[in-house]
Amino acid sequence: MKRLKLAFLAILLIGCFGLYSQDTIVLTSKDSLMESSWMVGVGWNFIDDSGDAFRDFTTIRDQWNGIALPSRVNIGKYFENGLGIEAIASYNRYKRGNIIDGVILSEFKDYFSIDSRLSYDLNKLVGHTAWFDPYVGVGIGYADANDVPRGTYNAIIGFRTWFSDRWGLDFSSSGKWSFGNEASNHIQHAVAVVYQFNIKKGLTKKGEEKATLLKQMEEEAQRIQDSLSYVKLMEEEAATALAERLAKEKEEALLAAQQRNKDKSDILEMLQNQLDSLGAVYFDFDSSYLNAPSKRTLDAVAVLMEEHPEHTFEIHAHTDSRGTDAYNIWLSDRRAKSTVDYLVTKGIEVSRLESNGHGESQLVNKCKDGIYCNEDMHAQNRRANILILVKKNLLSLDGRAITPQR
């Protein structure tokens, strides 16, 4: 009855969690953001070097200069804190008849510039948007304009708009103030196709809240499932307790008779030595499944058991010290049961086998809680020993009589 109530509660809770998560708690692309990336771009630049660029930057026909082919490349690294470091190279040509430095140009003039800049993503201040990324920046550069080389202090404002996680357009305007000579200041506008790579993504605050809630729901569902498994295990043990007790009484009577017979005692000692030579059965971390080497050991053990059908055996399973005491008792019981089940598949009667799980109570080395050990040392404790049952005493792998402990 208790199990039915718990099962009903589990189904109800899991169903509610599933319905709620499907309708409400779903992580989407809106819950993620770019934390860092590299970015490259190719595009066009337009120069306003009329001499009054900072007073009137709306006159395009007589003051802006540009060429038809892509004339600007950039590469940059952008960090989680919103800062970006960029390098930009530009080529342009001043058109004959345009106003340059306040004078109408009588011939075409080449323009070259190399700039570095430090930018800041304004989304860090105003909040994340999925497609619009405004930014500001400062930098320094070198320009050869109107046959007058000059260094420049730069100030930048711009934004990027995204078509996907990787592709977008970058629009910007840079004011460039000359230093080192009497060259005029100018404005450089740019538009470029940009591509992001080596992207590192993170979650928005809302996304983190969703992820936390989803994890809590998953843990609760697992807790309920574990509770059901534990109740089932307890019921199975209670249902088989009487049969096991009768089988154990029969085995003890048989072993008592064997103990009184000296010849059978000699055979018993020889068989235990043979078991000792085969070694223990070892398990992987946090697992009760038998690996290939363990199965080979148990194959040899089964042959010995078939040659001596008059004897009864006991499997003692253990764990390393990692995990709680209650969990390790449960895991060692599972390991002992896996060993018994495998021997049964090899034709050994289940009445000749008894399993015991000791958890981490019988470590073979110093690797108890709080002491660092490497994986090889922990692996020595994840074992199952097969012993011959003789009345209430067992012969251990080194031949000494011990009393089994639960």
Side-chain angles (χ1 to χ4, degrees):
M1 187 67 179
K2 180 180 179 181
R3 183 184 174 190
L4 289 175
K5 290 181 178 178
L6 187 57
F8 177 77
L9 178 61
I11 293 171
L12 180 62
L13 289 175
I14 292 172
C16 291
F17 286 157
L19 180 62
Y20 186 62
S21 63
Q22 290 175 4
D23 291 346
T24 306
I25 309 176
V26 178
L27 287 173
T28 66
S29 60
K30 294 182 179 180
D31 297 314
S32 66
L33 53 80
M34 301 290 180
E35 290 188 340
S36 64
S37 69
W38 283 85
M39 189 184 304
V40 295
V42 177
W44 291 263
N45 76 98
F46 306 93
I47 306 295
D48 186 348
D49 195 2
S50 61
D52 66 346
F54 292 94
R55 295 188 300 273
D56 181 9
F57 54 86
T58 61
T59 304
I60 296 176
R61 180 176 180 180
D62 297 329
Q63 296 184 183
W64 284 35
N65 301 272
I67 60 175
L69 298 176
S71 56
R72 179 184 187 272
V73 294
N74 66 285
I75 184 170
K77 169 67 175 176
Y78 304 88
F79 302 94
E80 296 180 29
N81 58 10
L83 294 177
I85 300 175
E86 304 167 84
I88 305 165
S90 303
Y91 168 75
N92 210 314
R93 171 169 284 193
Y94 288 167
K95 293 186 295 185
R96 183 173 56 197
N98 272 9
I99 300 173
I100 305 297
D101 294 336
V103 179
I104 297 177
L105 200 66
S106 61
E107 59 181 332
F108 290 101
K109 297 279 187 168
D110 288 331
Y111 173 95
F112 302 94
S113 70
I114 298 176
D115 300 290
S116 63
R117 72 186 187 190
L118 179 68
S119 64
Y120 182 73
D121 185 356
L122 294 178
N123 279 336
K124 293 294 181 179
L125 299 177
V126 302
H128 176 70
T129 60
W131 62 273
F132 181 69
D133 288 340
Y135 61 89
V136 294
V138 295
I140 60 174
Y142 169 83
D144 187 342
N146 200 19
D147 296 331
V148 182
R150 81 283 304 270
T152 61
Y153 299 112
N154 304 335
I156 303 97
I157 184 170
F159 70 92
R160 300 183 184 97
T161 183
W162 298 101
F163 309 120
S164 68
D165 285 348
R166 296 184 178 274
W167 292 98
L169 291 177
D170 185 351
F171 300 88
S172 65
S173 293
S174 302
K176 295 188 172 183
W177 289 265
S178 300
F179 66 88
N181 55 34
E182 297 300 324
S184 64
N185 306 321
H186 61 282
I187 294 178
Q188 185 176 37
H189 309 284
V191 58
V193 177
V194 290
Y195 175 78
Q196 288 191 110
F197 60 98
N198 284 1
I199 296 171
K200 178 182 177 183
K201 284 190 174 183
L203 291 175
T204 63
K205 184 177 181 180
K206 184 176 180 181
E208 291 175 350
E209 292 173 352
K210 285 185 179 181
T212 299
L213 187 53
L214 285 171
K215 183 178 180 181
Q216 291 173 347
M217 292 166 55
E218 182 180 352
E219 290 175 349
E220 180 63 17
Q222 185 61 51
R223 186 190 67 78
I224 294 171
Q225 184 61 47
D226 291 343
S227 298
L228 286 172
S229 298
Y230 182 74
V231 170
K232 181 179 179 181
L233 179 64
M234 294 298 100
E235 289 184 350
E236 290 174 352
E237 289 184 353
T240 58
L242 179 60
E244 291 178 351
R245 185 162 58 252
L246 292 174
K248 187 174 183 179
E249 291 174 356
K250 181 179 179 180
E251 292 168 2
E252 289 175 348
L254 177 61
L255 290 175
Q258 291 175 343
Q259 186 66 23
R260 290 190 296 268
N261 189 311
K262 187 178 183 303
D263 293 337
K264 291 184 179 181
S265 179
D266 293 338
I267 294 174
L268 189 68
E269 182 177 357
M270 178 190 68
L271 179 56
Q272 184 63 56
N273 289 335
Q274 289 176 315
L275 284 173
D276 293 346
S277 67
L278 294 177
V281 175
Y282 291 95
F283 293 86
D284 294 330
F285 173 69
D286 200 25
S287 174
S288 61
Y289 293 101
L290 294 168
N291 53 36
S294 296
K295 288 181 179 178
R296 288 195 292 269
T297 299
L298 290 176
D299 290 342
V301 169
V303 172
L304 286 177
M305 290 181 175
E306 290 177 343
E307 293 174 354
H308 300 275
E310 70 278 17
H311 294 304
T312 304
F313 302 85
E314 191 164 46
I315 289 87
H316 288 259
H318 310 268
T319 70
D320 59 32
S321 61
R322 294 174 290 186
T324 65
D325 291 346
Y327 177 76
N328 283 337
I329 287 291
W330 179 83
L331 179 59
S332 61
D333 284 339
R334 297 286 296 175
R335 289 174 173 173
K337 186 176 183 302
S338 295
T339 306
V340 169
D341 291 344
Y342 186 82
L343 290 172
V344 170
T345 65
K346 294 299 179 180
I348 307 303
E349 295 178 2
V350 69
S351 60
R352 297 177 59 201
L353 302 170
E354 182 174 334
S355 62
N356 296 273
H358 302 282
E360 58 180 278
S361 64
Q362 297 182 15
L363 302 175
V364 298
N365 51 33
K366 67 177 184 178
C367 299
K368 61 183 181 179
D369 291 339
I371 295 180
Y372 171 77
C373 290
N374 59 35
E375 184 57 31
D376 290 339
M377 296 181 71
H378 280 303
Q380 296 174 20
N381 293 310
R382 301 195 298 269
R383 69 199 189 281
N385 298 328
I386 302 175
L387 309 173
I388 303 174
L389 185 63
V390 183
K391 291 185 178 179
K392 293 185 179 180
N393 293 332
L394 300 173
L395 292 178
S396 68
L397 292 182
D398 59 7
R400 296 178 299 174
I402 62 171
T403 300
Q405 300 177 357
R406 288 191 180 273

